[in-house]
Amino acid sequence: MDVPSYFAPRGGHPAQTELMTGRAVFTEAYAVIPRGVMRDIVTSRLPFWDDTRAWIVARPLSGFAETFAQYIMEVGAGGGSDKPEPDSGAEGAIFVAEGRIELTIDGQTHRLEPGGFAYLPPACPWMLRNRDAEAARFHWVRKQYAHVAGLPVPAVVVTNEKDIAPEPMPGTDGRWATTRFVDPADMRHDMHMTIVTFAPGGTIPFEETHVMEHGLYVLEGKAAYRLNRDWVEVEAGDFLWLRAFCPQACYAGGPGRFRYLLYKDVNRHMRLALAEPHA
């Protein structure tokens, strides 16, 4: 198996001599935030996080990301937070791309390296610190947990990609595979984070059109991605948001693997809006 590679942004600024033309796109159905956009000037600081900055690439917004927020966090040496999550109703997922973090969940400390993943249920007490001399970079997805009467909230999950066997999609000879951090049949979960891997030449051979919203961060490689009516080129470090029912497909042309970290909302009935009563 190839050694995993996880692209992480570094910030900085382009020179005044560079062209400003890029690949950023924002439409009614999808958005592409390419890695060249993730500069120092677009980072955010967060309350009670020390020596930390974040590229916030998705947030709940009418006509945009409706179910989740996604941050790419950069925590300097000695940085972190003893009270990171301000919303007791929010669940979280963390995926480490670079460096190492010390994650303390309900009093138990875990050391996460690149490829490390943690699921944090709502109202779960946790803290995060970078004890190393180098900066750590990781993804943090936040979502308001959708409770269901009769179902308990999920348990904490701490694992690493290297400890999970990818599941090949049927009929693909392993050219399209998914690494699942939680059991997709576990109805307690209302969101999934997975890593999707395509070998060179691998493809999604039809235009997927489905109810799940997506956040998609390219970890490795490059591909041509179909988004609604358009084909766009994407590469490691790009983030894509796909609205529910946005048609999507991809072709991984190589020369290396194409891999991305994927968010989707799952396992819940659709909320039904009530019409206003007639006068």
Side-chain angles (χ1 to χ4, degrees):
M1 178 180 175
D2 294 333
V3 176
S5 174
Y6 310 113
F7 187 94
R10 297 300 184 92
H13 279 291
Q16 291 286 295
T17 53
E18 292 187 27
L19 293 176
M20 61 181 171
T21 304
R23 295 178 293 112
V25 179
F26 188 97
T27 77
E28 76 286 352
Y30 73 89
V32 178
I33 304 177
R35 70 188 196 183
V37 171
M38 298 181 199
R39 304 292 187 168
D40 294 349
I41 198 171
V42 298
T43 58
S44 296
R45 303 286 175 174
L46 300 172
F48 309 114
W49 282 84
D50 306 322
D51 298 314
T52 299
R53 62 180 184 171
W55 287 274
I56 300 177
V57 292
R59 54 164 286 188
L61 181 69
S62 176
F64 189 58
E66 296 175 348
T67 62
F68 75 111
Q70 184 160 344
Y71 307 174
I72 304 171
M73 304 287 286
E74 182 182 80
V75 181
S81 179
D82 293 335
K83 46 180 179 178
E85 176 54 72
D87 187 342
S88 63
E91 61 189 330
I94 285 173
F95 178 80
V96 180
E98 195 171 80
R100 294 170 176 80
I101 59 172
E102 188 178 273
L103 183 64
T104 302
I105 306 171
D106 202 15
Q108 183 176 359
T109 298
H110 309 267
R111 192 163 176 80
L112 272 61
E113 300 181 345
F117 172 86
Y119 170 76
L120 305 162
C124 166
W126 61 281
M127 301 182 294
L128 186 148
R129 287 287 164 187
N130 175 12
R131 304 295 185 189
D132 285 6
E134 303 296 329
R137 297 175 179 88
F138 60 91
H139 294 261
W140 179 18
V141 171
R142 302 174 61 230
K143 180 184 180 297
Q144 198 72 23
Y145 182 69
H147 290 272
V148 174
L151 285 179
V153 299
V156 169
V157 176
V158 179
T159 186
N160 192 293
E161 183 199 0
K162 67 183 180 182
D163 299 321
I164 304 170
E167 299 178 23
M169 295 293 286
T172 65
D173 294 324
R175 289 190 292 270
W176 174 12
T178 301
T179 302
R180 305 182 189 279
F181 292 113
V182 301
D183 181 357
D186 187 343
M187 289 295 108
R188 297 176 301 170
H189 286 278
D190 68 346
M191 61 168 277
H192 286 167
M193 293 291 292
T194 63
I195 293 177
V196 181
T197 300
F198 291 91
T203 180
I204 299 176
F206 70 104
E207 293 182 347
E208 292 187 33
T209 307
H210 53 63
V211 70
M212 287 86 76
E213 181 180 35
H214 279 337
L216 188 162
Y217 180 85
V218 182
L219 296 170
E220 180 181 348
K222 61 185 179 67
Y225 222 95
R226 175 76 174 190
L227 298 168
N228 201 15
R229 305 177 185 90
D230 309 315
W231 281 99
V232 299
E233 288 186 291
V234 296
E235 64 177 340
D238 292 351
F239 177 80
L240 289 69
W241 162 79
L242 286 67
R243 194 172 192 175
F245 302 109
C246 174
Q248 59 187 278
C250 86
Y251 172 69
R257 299 183 304 176
F258 175 60
R259 309 179 74 232
Y260 53 81
L261 182 69
L262 182 71
Y263 159 89
K264 61 182 176 181
D265 51 315
V266 296
N267 298 342
R268 293 295 183 267
H269 284 291
M270 301 302 98
R271 294 192 178 191
L272 304 179
L274 298 177
E276 291 293 330
H278 293 292

